[in-house]
Amino acid sequence: MDKRNILDCDLESLIEVVCSYGEKKFRAGQIFGWLAKGTESFDKMGNVPKALREKLEENWYIGLPEVVVAQKSAEDGTQKVLFQFRDGARVESVFMKYHYGNSICISSQVGCRMGCAFCASTKKGLDRSLTGGEMLAQVLAMEKFTGEKIGHVVVMGIGEPFDNYENLSAFIRLINNPKGFGLGMRNITVSTCGLVPYITRFGKDFSQVNLAVSLHAPNGEIRQRTMPVARRYGYEELMDACRRYTEDTGRRITFEYAMIRGVNDSMENGLELAGHLEGWLTHVNLIPLNPVEGTGMNASYRDSILRFKEILEKKGITVTIRRTLGSDIDGACGQLRLR
Ligand code: SAH
């Protein structure tokens, strides 16, 4: 039988595993703790009996990915890493330093099938989804690689997390477990292109986790030009789901809005967007588009971005302009893998 990735095991299944080997339950907790520290081999689990370590070695592997390439920004310490899993699948993760602590942006799939016109990650379609353990493994491997502790995780790398909902859920439970990595729910953010049914479900399943929605347009017509998902779920339907999410959870949604020159960045576009968002708990994050070769799309001019921000703010909406972290290292996610 092929070995399986032990990082996919939650504590309950590890208990079953050790019991099936005739060992005491508490051994599972020890192993779970070692794994959350990024331990890369079973023989390093000092307090675990040798016989059990050997049994684990026979049946399981610890699925930490290898570093294929890494880029470090000289400007701000941002580090982007191309990781490779055992089967050769490659994804990107980005380590960022913020005033509130260190953060990692992880991938949820190998490629993506959402087809957004401006995005590098979707150019070659979807190879496969990542497991919960493989999402966790990016965090553990990044801590090792950088030698830094990570306190925030955003699922905003390659892939659409809600197109891989079960594994995403498994990941959140795994990393949140206080006996393991113990990351607080509020320190996790998930970003979706707008798979409406899952927005509602996510609000029920994980009401403490932050949600970001990639909106990128002030209406359905413009949204459809760049995001195929907008044909599946209409603009009003998406807005309704977001409003209900906010009412149900009491949590603010962050709307990501990539500023694309001449597509969605006029004053009229700003006013229309403000009309939708006025009066409810939201946050808009304006992202100057990171131009991807072959898309024919460019970033908005600085002036248009500032004007757009002002229009929203006049209507009482909180707006930030994304700090372009690591702009000297091929910013947009998915570009390293594509190359
Ligand atoms: N599939 C999820 C998460 C991954 S994409 C989602 O769509 O939210 C992470 C964010 O980067 C999304 O807001 C996405 O629209 C945005 N993005 C993708 N390509 C970009 C580019 N070239 N420039 C700026 N933002 C981009």
mmCIF file of all heavy atoms in Angstrom, residues 118-119 156-157 159-161 191-193 214 216 256 287 289-290 292 332, ligand 1:
data_model
loop_
_atom_site.group_PDB
_atom_site.id
_atom_site.type_symbol
_atom_site.label_atom_id
_atom_site.label_comp_id
_atom_site.label_asym_id
_atom_site.label_seq_id
_atom_site.Cartn_x
_atom_site.Cartn_y
_atom_site.Cartn_z
ATOM 1 N N PHE A 118 -7.727 38.423 -15.780
ATOM 2 C CA PHE A 118 -6.519 39.166 -15.392
ATOM 3 C C PHE A 118 -5.532 38.321 -14.603
ATOM 4 O O PHE A 118 -4.462 38.786 -14.225
ATOM 5 C CB PHE A 118 -6.932 40.369 -14.519
ATOM 6 C CG PHE A 118 -7.975 39.998 -13.490
ATOM 7 C CD1 PHE A 118 -7.616 39.323 -12.344
ATOM 8 C CD2 PHE A 118 -9.319 40.282 -13.711
ATOM 9 C CE1 PHE A 118 -8.566 38.942 -11.408
ATOM 10 C CE2 PHE A 118 -10.287 39.908 -12.780
ATOM 11 C CZ PHE A 118 -9.907 39.236 -11.626
ATOM 12 N N CYS A 119 -5.882 37.071 -14.317
ATOM 13 C CA CYS A 119 -5.148 36.283 -13.325
ATOM 14 C C CYS A 119 -4.215 35.250 -13.957
ATOM 15 O O CYS A 119 -4.602 34.518 -14.872
ATOM 16 C CB CYS A 119 -6.146 35.587 -12.407
ATOM 17 S SG CYS A 119 -5.360 34.601 -11.129
ATOM 18 N N MET A 156 -5.305 33.051 -0.186
ATOM 19 C CA MET A 156 -5.478 34.005 -1.276
ATOM 20 C C MET A 156 -4.443 33.761 -2.355
ATOM 21 O O MET A 156 -4.175 34.620 -3.194
ATOM 22 C CB MET A 156 -5.292 35.417 -0.704
ATOM 23 C CG MET A 156 -6.327 36.408 -1.134
ATOM 24 S SD MET A 156 -5.952 38.034 -0.467
ATOM 25 C CE MET A 156 -7.260 38.263 0.721
ATOM 26 N N GLY A 157 -3.812 32.577 -2.320
ATOM 27 C CA GLY A 157 -2.822 32.252 -3.333
ATOM 28 C C GLY A 157 -3.498 31.613 -4.534
ATOM 29 O O GLY A 157 -4.628 31.968 -4.887
ATOM 30 N N GLY A 159 -5.634 29.234 -6.773
ATOM 31 C CA GLY A 159 -6.812 28.395 -6.568
ATOM 32 C C GLY A 159 -8.000 29.127 -5.978
ATOM 33 O O GLY A 159 -7.879 30.242 -5.478
ATOM 34 N N GLU A 160 -9.163 28.486 -6.082
ATOM 35 C CA GLU A 160 -10.384 29.038 -5.504
ATOM 36 C C GLU A 160 -10.762 28.169 -4.298
ATOM 37 O O GLU A 160 -11.198 27.028 -4.460
ATOM 38 C CB GLU A 160 -11.507 29.030 -6.571
ATOM 39 C CG GLU A 160 -12.908 29.287 -6.044
ATOM 40 C CD GLU A 160 -13.044 30.525 -5.142
ATOM 41 O OE1 GLU A 160 -12.447 31.571 -5.449
ATOM 42 O OE2 GLU A 160 -13.727 30.415 -4.109
ATOM 43 N N PRO A 161 -10.574 28.701 -3.081
ATOM 44 C CA PRO A 161 -10.792 27.878 -1.883
ATOM 45 C C PRO A 161 -12.192 27.261 -1.799
ATOM 46 O O PRO A 161 -12.346 26.126 -1.337
ATOM 47 C CB PRO A 161 -10.548 28.842 -0.724
ATOM 48 C CG PRO A 161 -10.301 30.186 -1.306
ATOM 49 C CD PRO A 161 -10.034 30.032 -2.761
ATOM 50 N N SER A 191 -10.333 34.050 0.825
ATOM 51 C CA SER A 191 -10.769 34.915 -0.266
ATOM 52 C C SER A 191 -11.438 34.095 -1.363
ATOM 53 O O SER A 191 -10.898 33.088 -1.806
ATOM 54 C CB SER A 191 -9.548 35.647 -0.840
ATOM 55 O OG SER A 191 -9.934 36.461 -1.925
ATOM 56 N N THR A 192 -12.620 34.541 -1.795
ATOM 57 C CA THR A 192 -13.340 33.817 -2.847
ATOM 58 C C THR A 192 -13.682 34.728 -4.010
ATOM 59 O O THR A 192 -13.866 35.940 -3.843
ATOM 60 C CB THR A 192 -14.651 33.195 -2.308
ATOM 61 O OG1 THR A 192 -15.318 32.517 -3.378
ATOM 62 C CG2 THR A 192 -15.588 34.252 -1.745
ATOM 63 N N CYS A 193 -13.796 34.132 -5.192
ATOM 64 C CA CYS A 193 -14.218 34.911 -6.360
ATOM 65 C C CYS A 193 -15.733 35.050 -6.381
ATOM 66 O O CYS A 193 -16.273 35.706 -7.268
ATOM 67 C CB CYS A 193 -13.705 34.259 -7.638
ATOM 68 S SG CYS A 193 -14.440 32.652 -7.960
ATOM 69 N N SER A 214 -13.675 38.753 -3.934
ATOM 70 C CA SER A 214 -13.078 39.438 -5.073
ATOM 71 C C SER A 214 -14.189 39.965 -5.957
ATOM 72 O O SER A 214 -14.815 39.215 -6.694
ATOM 73 C CB SER A 214 -12.190 38.467 -5.854
ATOM 74 O OG SER A 214 -11.190 37.965 -5.005
ATOM 75 N N HIS A 216 -14.214 43.299 -7.884
ATOM 76 C CA HIS A 216 -13.567 43.814 -9.093
ATOM 77 C C HIS A 216 -14.478 44.506 -10.098
ATOM 78 O O HIS A 216 -14.075 44.727 -11.246
ATOM 79 C CB HIS A 216 -12.805 42.694 -9.843
ATOM 80 C CG HIS A 216 -11.795 41.968 -9.014
ATOM 81 N ND1 HIS A 216 -11.096 42.552 -7.990
ATOM 82 C CD2 HIS A 216 -11.364 40.668 -9.056
ATOM 83 C CE1 HIS A 216 -10.272 41.657 -7.449
ATOM 84 N NE2 HIS A 216 -10.419 40.518 -8.064
ATOM 85 N N GLU A 256 -12.358 42.860 -2.416
ATOM 86 C CA GLU A 256 -11.140 43.126 -3.177
ATOM 87 C C GLU A 256 -11.567 43.748 -4.503
ATOM 88 O O GLU A 256 -12.521 43.294 -5.142
ATOM 89 C CB GLU A 256 -10.392 41.813 -3.475
ATOM 90 C CG GLU A 256 -10.139 40.928 -2.271
ATOM 91 C CD GLU A 256 -8.995 41.415 -1.396
ATOM 92 O OE1 GLU A 256 -8.174 42.213 -1.892
ATOM 93 O OE2 GLU A 256 -8.943 41.019 -0.229
ATOM 94 N N ILE A 287 -6.758 47.281 -5.220
ATOM 95 C CA ILE A 287 -5.473 46.667 -5.584
ATOM 96 C C ILE A 287 -5.085 47.141 -6.977
ATOM 97 O O ILE A 287 -5.770 46.830 -7.949
ATOM 98 C CB ILE A 287 -5.602 45.121 -5.647
ATOM 99 C CG1 ILE A 287 -6.299 44.590 -4.398
ATOM 100 C CG2 ILE A 287 -4.259 44.472 -5.877
ATOM 101 C CD1 ILE A 287 -6.794 43.155 -4.557
ATOM 102 N N LEU A 289 -3.862 46.762 -10.328
ATOM 103 C CA LEU A 289 -3.675 45.501 -11.063
ATOM 104 C C LEU A 289 -2.200 45.201 -11.269
ATOM 105 O O LEU A 289 -1.414 46.070 -11.588
ATOM 106 C CB LEU A 289 -4.360 45.566 -12.436
ATOM 107 C CG LEU A 289 -4.307 44.237 -13.217
ATOM 108 C CD1 LEU A 289 -5.407 43.302 -12.747
ATOM 109 C CD2 LEU A 289 -4.410 44.461 -14.716
ATOM 110 N N ASN A 290 -1.875 43.944 -11.058
ATOM 111 C CA ASN A 290 -0.534 43.472 -11.349
ATOM 112 C C ASN A 290 -0.581 42.931 -12.769
ATOM 113 O O ASN A 290 -1.124 41.852 -12.988
ATOM 114 C CB ASN A 290 -0.237 42.320 -10.388
ATOM 115 C CG ASN A 290 1.029 42.533 -9.628
ATOM 116 O OD1 ASN A 290 2.058 42.842 -10.218
ATOM 117 N ND2 ASN A 290 0.935 42.349 -8.332
ATOM 118 N N VAL A 292 -0.457 41.003 -16.043
ATOM 119 C CA VAL A 292 0.004 39.664 -16.420
ATOM 120 C C VAL A 292 0.138 39.638 -17.941
ATOM 121 O O VAL A 292 -0.770 40.065 -18.653
ATOM 122 C CB VAL A 292 -1.012 38.591 -15.951
ATOM 123 C CG1 VAL A 292 -0.657 37.227 -16.504
ATOM 124 C CG2 VAL A 292 -1.072 38.544 -14.428
ATOM 125 N N ALA A 332 2.323 39.536 -8.746
ATOM 126 C CA ALA A 332 1.096 38.746 -8.881
ATOM 127 C C ALA A 332 1.354 37.263 -8.733
ATOM 128 O O ALA A 332 2.235 36.686 -9.337
ATOM 129 C CB ALA A 332 0.436 39.023 -10.220
HETATM 130 N N1 SAH B 1 -9.760 32.538 -5.952
HETATM 131 C C1 SAH B 1 -9.746 33.423 -4.817
HETATM 132 C C2 SAH B 1 -8.410 33.576 -4.153
HETATM 133 C C3 SAH B 1 -7.167 33.660 -5.002
HETATM 134 S S1 SAH B 1 -6.900 35.122 -5.959
HETATM 135 C C4 SAH B 1 -10.323 34.757 -5.200
HETATM 136 O O1 SAH B 1 -10.641 34.955 -6.363
HETATM 137 O O2 SAH B 1 -10.503 35.588 -4.322
HETATM 138 C C5 SAH B 1 -6.441 36.356 -4.803
HETATM 139 C C6 SAH B 1 -6.809 37.762 -5.220
HETATM 140 O O3 SAH B 1 -5.910 38.278 -6.203
HETATM 141 C C7 SAH B 1 -8.190 37.876 -5.814
HETATM 142 O O4 SAH B 1 -8.809 39.042 -5.344
HETATM 143 C C8 SAH B 1 -7.870 37.971 -7.282
HETATM 144 O O5 SAH B 1 -8.944 38.494 -8.016
HETATM 145 C C9 SAH B 1 -6.661 38.856 -7.263
HETATM 146 N N2 SAH B 1 -5.862 38.858 -8.461
HETATM 147 C C10 SAH B 1 -5.656 37.866 -9.351
HETATM 148 N N3 SAH B 1 -4.847 38.261 -10.349
HETATM 149 C C11 SAH B 1 -4.530 39.553 -10.086
HETATM 150 C C12 SAH B 1 -3.725 40.523 -10.736
HETATM 151 N N4 SAH B 1 -3.109 40.234 -11.861
HETATM 152 N N5 SAH B 1 -3.619 41.739 -10.171
HETATM 153 C C13 SAH B 1 -4.247 42.031 -9.021
HETATM 154 N N6 SAH B 1 -5.018 41.168 -8.358
HETATM 155 C C14 SAH B 1 -5.166 39.935 -8.878
#
